[in-house]
Amino acid sequence: MAVFIAMALSWLSAFPLSRTTNEFFDPEAAMSDSLTVSLITCYPGPEVYELYGHEAIRVRGEGRDSVWNYGIFDFRAPNFVYRFVKGETDYICAGYPFAWFLPEYAERGSKVVEQDLNMTQAEAHKLLAMLQRESLPENRTYRYNYVKDNCATRILDRLEQSLSSPVIYPDSINYGTFRNEMRSYNKDYPWYQFGIDIALGSGIDYPLSSREEMFVPVEMMKKTADAKLLDGRPMVRETRVLIEGVPDATLGPGSPWLTPLVISWVVAILLLTVCLIDIKRGKLTRWVFVVWFSLLGISGTVVWFLVFISTHEATSPNTLLLWLSPVQLLTAAVIGMRRLKNAAIALSWYNIVALISTLVIWPFQKQSGNPAFFPLIGITLLMAVTYVIVTSREKMVSRERSQSFNRKRVRQRK
């Protein structure tokens, strides 16, 4: 589970810094140029950070054809992975020749669409100056946010700051929440979505506005096509396809038998069998309990870190902490030590109460759960009950044997 949590923290529209440069900056660009500003929407690709596509701005005019990209990261930066998980997700704005931009998408066969924006020259130059300023070394780094400050939303913000008239977007709501929108784009990557559903709490489950749904580039393109400025101008003047490609260059559906839901049911059935056998024979298969609660504890440690240490706002609160908690590591440890039987019983009762509470309150809280969670939560509850039953029976048998032995000794003395 910890692996899938880590996978969930990779995100859309990321390009390693080594693929591009951030020194395409000309502060003396001729203000007399007739500029055309357009949005470049790249459809989804096969990698997990490509599942939502990518968005960039193209600015072209006399002697200029540049692209401005807010999706750059430097994987070589010190402690990149740790800082990414902790929430210190630093991305970079970079400008470079547009000719460098398209080959990657042509190679993977992704569709690329260009929308020329209906901007005045004053608005276009204002935007270009803003982009140039933000690509300077001292300004280029920004704190990335999954859904509120990414390659698409940052472009929307800059456009709205440059336009002299407010933008009116279509008021249609297609997904309702961030999580539902992610699930739609991750439908063929169920293990990736499983990781997202573990790592991200209720912060991605509140009702969205139409504009908030535009954090996904393709959704941004669709809504921008129908947007109008308050002064009556349509936001998009012309649309063209730069690369025919395919709308979905992802890997496609995998095996229906290797999904989180199927695997969780298989695991639950196997553990249920172990529990029933252990209850019948009155003895624990101790190593199975130790391994299971260790796995839960490792995953719980990652979830605990995301909730209490990470600054990712979408990771907290997370109702799964009642199930995936570092406490489960302690549970595994005391189950493995026969001398700490009383502590193990106490922690098993904690699990029983916590997991029943989780199942009872889940329908009444706003965090949406992955269907694969519930067989695993249920079997964890059953394993805790099994431990209490078997251990209590062992203690009872031990007590009866002790009492029988004491009675024999008394009779022998008489």
Side-chain angles (χ1 to χ4, degrees), residues 82 398 409:
Y82 171 77
S398 178
R409 290 187 63 185

Side-chain angles (χ1 to χ4, degrees), residues 36-42 54-60 65-71 93-98 101 114-115 117 119 124 127-128 130-131 134 151-160 162 220:
T36 298
V37 176
S38 56
L39 296 177
I40 306 297
T41 303
C42 309
H54 184 52
E55 195 75 27
I57 298 179
R58 182 183 186 183
V59 180
R60 63 188 189 277
D65 192 358
S66 58
V67 69
W68 302 84
N69 189 345
Y70 284 97
C93 169
Y96 48 94
F98 183 71
F101 184 79
E114 182 173 25
Q115 295 169 298
L117 300 180
M119 301 180 75
L127 175 63
L128 177 60
M130 188 183 303
L131 295 170
E134 291 196 348
C151 69
T153 61
R154 186 156 277 248
I155 288 174
L156 277 180
D157 292 341
R158 300 306 175 267
L159 285 176
E160 291 168 358
S162 303
M220 174 179 167

Side-chain angles (χ1 to χ4, degrees), residues 41-54 102-112 184-189 218 243-253:
T41 303
C42 309
Y43 279 66
E47 302 297 335
V48 292
Y49 59 79
E50 299 168 340
L51 294 181
Y52 306 88
H54 184 52
L102 287 182
E104 176 181 0
Y105 300 98
E107 181 179 350
R108 78 183 192 205
S110 290
K111 184 176 182 179
V112 179
S184 176
Y185 279 83
N186 297 341
K187 63 183 183 301
D188 293 331
Y189 291 67
V218 175
I243 299 177
E244 287 292 342
V246 293
D248 185 357
T250 61
L251 297 178

